[in-house]
Amino acid sequence: MELIVAKGREDLVKARRGGAVALVPTMGALHEGHRSLIRQARVRADQVVVSIFVNPLQFGPSEDFSRYPRTFDADLDVCRAEGVDVVFHPDAAEMYASDRQVSVSAGHMGSIVEGAFRPGHFDGVLTVVLKLFNLVQPDLAVFGQKDAQQLALIRRMVADLDLPIEILGAPTVREPDGLALSSRNRYLSEDDRQVALALSRALRAGAAEFTPARVRAVAQEVLDAAGSRLATDYLALVDPATFAEVDESYAGPAVLAVAATVGTTRLIDNVTLTFNPA
Ligand code: AMP
């Protein structure tokens, strides 16, 4: 089947076939991580829609919106190769009326951990995702665990606003040396890349420990050992559903999350671990 490129609501309505629809929201510059999400969608749905939209609302004024990689033609090739049915590629003007008023608030959970360093980011993410849900009307949507707080907030939005959409989380795809794939990795020089490996190394080392205090301490040691070229924003050990820091008596799954800048590139990564009851 020919890949359909939809620019707006009417194109999406025309492309609808019946059967289960899966949406994979992306900002493009597609890599193996995105491909794994598309494959998961393919397994579960009759029709797969990939959205490609660099959402201005989720970038802060000093962030990398204008230099975010845009590789639309190559992205179309990836979508064709993965058997995607529809690529939704709206213009910013199509998505956001200049006099728009109403948006989604991510609440307290959007202002902690990653949200503390990117004010308004999660409001922008949830607003665009809700709009994409309303435009595409999928039965299910696939998001990466790579952006764990985003995934948790989307699950909350679906629960809190009663959206009739199943949310699937997909595991983080990594390079053989551990670096989590990211569209922003292409900004890294070979030297930067070596420094950036401290993120996944710290998470692996932390996840091998058995108490919250040890997990934090061991991961922090690895980050410190990377030296001054790695500027860490946070290392957080949190409840995956709320992103609240876990205490020493915590039992159950937890997310160890890190954000750091290498050169001019800001990277995030996380792993999930489980604490057994004492
Ligand atoms: P982005 O294009 O960076 O906004 O990401 C689009 C989707 O791909 C999000 O749900 C991300 O969590 C997911 N994603 C990004 N990188 C990876 C990765 N390395 N492994 C799995 N999913 C990823």
Side-chain angles (χ1 to χ4, degrees):
M1 197 88 79
E2 184 83 353
L3 176 70
I4 297 169
V5 177
K7 299 293 289 180
R9 187 193 292 271
E10 277 176 29
D11 297 340
L12 286 167
V13 170
K14 257 190 256 158
R16 217 162 277 158
R17 297 262 177 282
V21 176
L23 172 65
V24 180
T26 82
M27 298 204 297
L30 301 181
H31 51 64
E32 275 301 320
H34 299 113
R35 280 179 186 254
S36 77
L37 268 53
I38 293 169
R39 285 179 203 142
Q40 191 159 327
R42 185 86 275 165
V43 171
R44 287 288 312 277
D46 301 297
Q47 198 177 23
V48 174
V49 180
V50 172
S51 62
I52 298 180
F53 180 61
V54 184
N55 173 32
L57 237 54
Q58 70 188 69
F59 288 81
S62 60
E63 293 182 3
D64 59 346
F65 174 71
S66 56
R67 73 164 193 147
Y68 195 85
R70 288 162 174 86
T71 61
F72 187 63
D73 291 338
D75 292 347
L76 286 184
D77 290 341
V78 169
C79 289
R80 270 188 210 100
E82 293 296 340
V84 170
D85 300 283
V86 180
V87 167
F88 179 43
H89 184 55
D91 296 332
E94 166 97 30
M95 286 296 270
Y96 298 118
S98 55
D99 64 345
R100 66 183 196 88
Q101 300 287 321
V102 177
S103 57
V104 181
S105 164
H108 172 69
M109 212 177 133
S111 69
I112 56 177
V113 193
E114 179 75 357
F117 289 87
R118 302 187 71 187
H121 169 68
F122 288 118
D123 294 355
V125 168
L126 294 187
T127 299
V128 79
V129 169
L130 182 59
K131 285 172 68 73
L132 292 168
F133 284 175
N134 287 331
L135 286 159
V136 175
Q137 300 186 9
D139 300 281
L140 55 113
V142 190
F143 294 87
Q145 181 66 36
K146 161 80 167 34
D147 298 276
Q149 193 170 358
Q150 168 176 290
L151 174 58
L153 274 162
I154 286 162
R155 290 191 194 284
R156 277 243 63 104
M157 176 170 76
V158 164
D160 291 351
L161 302 184
D162 303 301
L163 306 181
I165 298 168
E166 185 186 353
I167 303 301
L168 303 181
T172 301
V173 177
R174 298 178 179 282
E175 302 279 6
D177 60 10
L179 186 70
L181 295 189
S182 162
S183 303
R184 291 185 171 98
N185 288 355
R186 67 189 69 204
Y187 300 146
L188 298 172
S189 68
E190 194 41 48
D191 277 2
D192 289 343
R193 211 180 160 291
Q194 290 308 312
V195 178
L197 285 177
L199 269 68
S200 54
R201 210 182 305 128
L203 297 177
R204 265 200 317 276
E209 297 294 325
F210 295 99
T211 66
R214 287 290 300 158
V215 169
R216 290 185 175 102
V218 167
Q220 187 63 54
E221 257 172 50
V222 177
L223 294 174
D224 292 346
S228 60
R229 287 189 55 201
L230 188 78
T232 304
D233 279 347
Y234 61 82
L235 174 71
L237 181 62
V238 298
D239 179 327
T242 62
F243 266 67
E245 287 282 343
V246 305
D247 63 21
E248 228 21 50
S249 63
Y250 182 84
V255 168
L256 179 62
V258 64
T261 300
V262 184
T264 55
T265 306
R266 188 171 181 281
L267 301 171
I268 61 170
D269 197 356
N270 71 87
V271 290
T272 300
L273 58 155
T274 303
F275 294 106
N276 294 321

